[in-house]
Amino acid sequence: MWIVKLDPKVERIIEWRESFTSLPDDYFFDVIHMYLGEIKTPYNKPKLIEELSVILRKKENKETLVAYLDEVDIKILTAVRFIPEVDVTKLEKFFVPAMSQGDLYEEIASLEERLIIYNRENKTTGKKSIALNPHLEEELEKVLELGNLIAEEEKPESEVLPGGMTLTPQIIAVFISYVLSHPDFCKANGDLKKKTDSDLKEICGIESTEIFARLFIGMRNLVLLRELDDGKGWEPDWKRLEAFCELPFKSQAVYLCAAGAGVFSRRALVSNASFFASTIDFARGKYFTKEKLFAVAFLIKEKSGDEDFSTRRFSRILSGSGSREDENLGSAMIESMIDSAIAFGLMSVRGSTSDGSQLVYTESDGYQENTAMDRKVLSVDTGYTVTILPGLTTGEFIPLVKFLDVVRCDVTSNFEINRQSAIRGFDLGYTKESMEEILSRYSSFPLPQNLKVSLDEWALSYGSASLYKGYVLKLSEDNAYRAENNPLFSAHIREILAPGVYLLDFISDAEAQDAIKKTGIDVNGRIRSVHKEDEVMGLPPAKGTSVSLDDGGIGRFIIDSKVRVGILDRFKSILDGMETTSDQKDGLLDRIARRIIIEEDQLRPESVRFELMEAFGMNFTGKVHVLESAIQKNSLVELELTGHDEIILGIPKGIVKNTEIPVVFLSVEDKDTNEITDIEIEIAKISRVRKIRNALSLRRQK
């Protein structure tokens, strides 16, 4: 038995034919009428498709189809070429809101009826996606270059150094110190309080506290900060924070950007940080607008195989799908991460585009890890002011801020040690000796004697009266000796209150009884309420993924609109010389404008079936006709209302005409919540209504 292996392109052409055969009859015959004219019955679909293929195989027709492409076409088709398994949902995430939903759907429908894209089905998974017509592959590959989406901007003539404050270990330390002394620093909704905003501006000498607002959100979502038990403030989760600080600092910044976009599972968080690290790496030595940065991030994320983009609801309604994908934020997530990267200084401003319309960004070179061996960067004066020069890592700052209050932050940072901050340090397990040791570790000079005296006084005051809550166990001298020398028990001793009297860290009666029995002592224990930290699994470094974009000489196709205009004018001239009715001429002019006419034989007056797509003002009958047509085909419409600038996009569900005030019922999407709600609009108040052509990609997606 011989197995014939077909050429891959032949296989794709067969796939295109099969897809075209399976089109809904109404759409199939609309396309056939536009390209082949009236159909004689009986008809044969495969034969009609072959006749259509003959048109597409002609060299001059291929050249015309490519010459018709405008800038928007090029961008959408480039996205179709380079985004894996692309469908309408992914195109929405990529182009909306830079392009309106209605315009995007119209563009997709236009490319479909111009036979440039089609819907194919993966025979293995059954998943549908958008693909380029295989008849046009060679011609399209010449123009669909990745640079159409992500071509970098020219290097600005005069570079602009990044303004404002950059995220550094010092800034994180300043924020943690402030949180420790002001645990109620934010409102219930997570926004910084006015006092916090004012304090941080004064401490850092800055005009905006956006960097701290984003830092808080990222730390909160990473659970580096947790809410106090009484709900009246926040405190560090020290184990998580210390594990986080073991990461390279650039990884810390990338994770804070990723977490600032939402709360994710550990797997999703690591994945998001990985693709965003690749985005930052890709921007090294290049210059991008925010729009181009978004495109880079989106493409890298898609190529890494992540599937966490949510579906916009209009797509689901039009496609007949009732499923609701979950809370991962898609394009909004990427935009938030880019904004955080800019606020943190991972990406810095380097000027503007040549026309001055947009800022240009590149990867900042200020995120090098601290590698200096000399850590003598600290000095303490007699007024208990602690001055710290740049050079410490975040992990080295953490032990210091546990007992230091921030005073000022500039190139250097100024903290102070006072009675209250020292008591905070004692509460966190420090002794006066450990505080002195940490300060001396980074200081080139001996600590002031008066500071040591004050630490002695504060330690004595702290130890003069202590309030405990929890399990307390009292043992005889013999039992105490056995217990303290039994590692299974001694590991649970939080404090020796007196000889043979122990404060223990058990979290349940069962745990207490089990640990005490292992010492051979027959006694019941009581639960204590001292918080016991869970084990923390650290995050891996945020390294760029192995997936990368081909940045070797990324080019961009330059469109010559004169060729397109010349072809359109030629067809209009031919039409002017033909005998047609007014409706036939308008219909053919509409097809020319939609760039469906690619050869003279298509200018057949008898093939025109006029459809009103738009109506204005006082044309009540026209507006009703457009709305009823949209209802019949479950199409979107764009509405403009008299006295309102906003364009309303929705799906009309019904019309009531036989009343004093005729109305249309419209399903619209809330821009903030993405919820679909039904509204009622008086038809008389509609100044313009336009029906959006139903993209086949929407009608057929699952």
Side-chain angles (χ1 to χ4, degrees), residues 339-530:
D339 287 340
S340 291
I342 293 170
F344 291 159
L346 270 171
M347 301 296 302
S348 54
V349 179
R350 281 295 186 269
S352 58
T353 52
S354 56
D355 61 2
S357 61
Q358 298 183 70
L359 293 175
V360 173
Y361 301 87
T362 189
E363 185 199 25
S364 173
D365 57 5
Y367 273 77
Q368 304 301 319
E369 303 302 325
N370 292 322
T371 56
M373 298 303 293
D374 183 11
R375 286 290 189 263
K376 300 297 184 179
V377 295
L378 179 151
S379 64
V380 185
D381 65 19
T382 55
Y384 307 165
T385 296
V386 181
T387 302
I388 304 177
L389 299 171
L392 296 184
T393 66
T394 320
E396 290 168 331
F397 260 115
I398 295 304
L400 288 163
V401 298
K402 287 183 178 181
F403 61 91
L404 296 179
D405 282 345
V406 63
V407 176
R408 184 75 182 168
C409 177
D410 202 334
V411 177
T412 62
S413 51
N414 295 329
F415 295 82
E416 69 175 9
I417 181 168
N418 52 49
R419 184 177 186 278
Q420 194 60 41
S421 69
I423 288 174
R424 184 176 75 222
F426 296 143
D427 281 339
L428 293 172
Y430 284 117
T431 62
K432 66 182 182 65
E433 290 81 10
S434 60
M435 291 182 189
E436 290 177 8
E437 189 279 326
I438 292 171
L439 291 171
S440 298
R441 188 187 309 166
Y442 303 111
S443 177
S444 301
F445 307 98
L447 299 181
Q449 191 61 36
N450 65 330
L451 173 61
K452 293 184 177 183
V453 171
S454 292
L455 285 173
D456 282 336
E457 292 176 356
W458 296 333
L460 285 172
S461 174
Y462 179 79
S464 63
S466 301
L467 181 64
Y468 294 95
K469 178 182 179 182
Y471 274 115
V472 176
L473 179 65
K474 181 179 180 182
L475 298 175
S476 66
E477 183 177 344
D478 289 343
N479 282 339
Y481 178 81
R482 289 164 55 194
E484 290 180 22
N485 286 278
N486 187 325
L488 296 176
F489 177 81
S490 61
H492 295 283
I493 298 175
R494 179 61 63 89
E495 187 88 22
I496 300 177
L497 304 177
V501 182
Y502 308 98
L503 179 67
L504 307 173
D505 69 348
F506 299 123
I507 60 173
S508 70
D509 288 351
E511 182 186 15
Q513 291 169 359
D514 182 61
I516 294 172
K517 283 180 181 178
K518 289 177 181 178
T519 67
I521 303 169
D522 186 16
V523 64
N524 290 323
R526 288 290 179 184
I527 191 169
R528 68 184 291 276
S529 62
V530 176

Side-chain angles (χ1 to χ4, degrees), residues 14 19 30 48 82 146 158 170 189 200 227 257 291 382 438 444 465 468 505 567 698:
I14 292 173
S19 174
D30 280 348
L48 293 173
F82 287 100
L146 195 56
S158 57
Q170 178 178 271
N189 65 358
L200 291 174
E227 199 166 11
C257 290
E291 182 181 354
T382 55
I438 292 171
S444 301
Y468 294 95
D505 69 348
I567 297 172
L698 271 172

Side-chain angles (χ1 to χ4, degrees), residues 149-151 153 288-297 556:
L149 300 176
I150 63 170
E153 306 297 329
F288 294 109
T289 62
K290 279 180 67 174
E291 182 181 354
K292 296 283 183 63
L293 276 175
F294 172 84
V296 169
R556 179 178 181 180

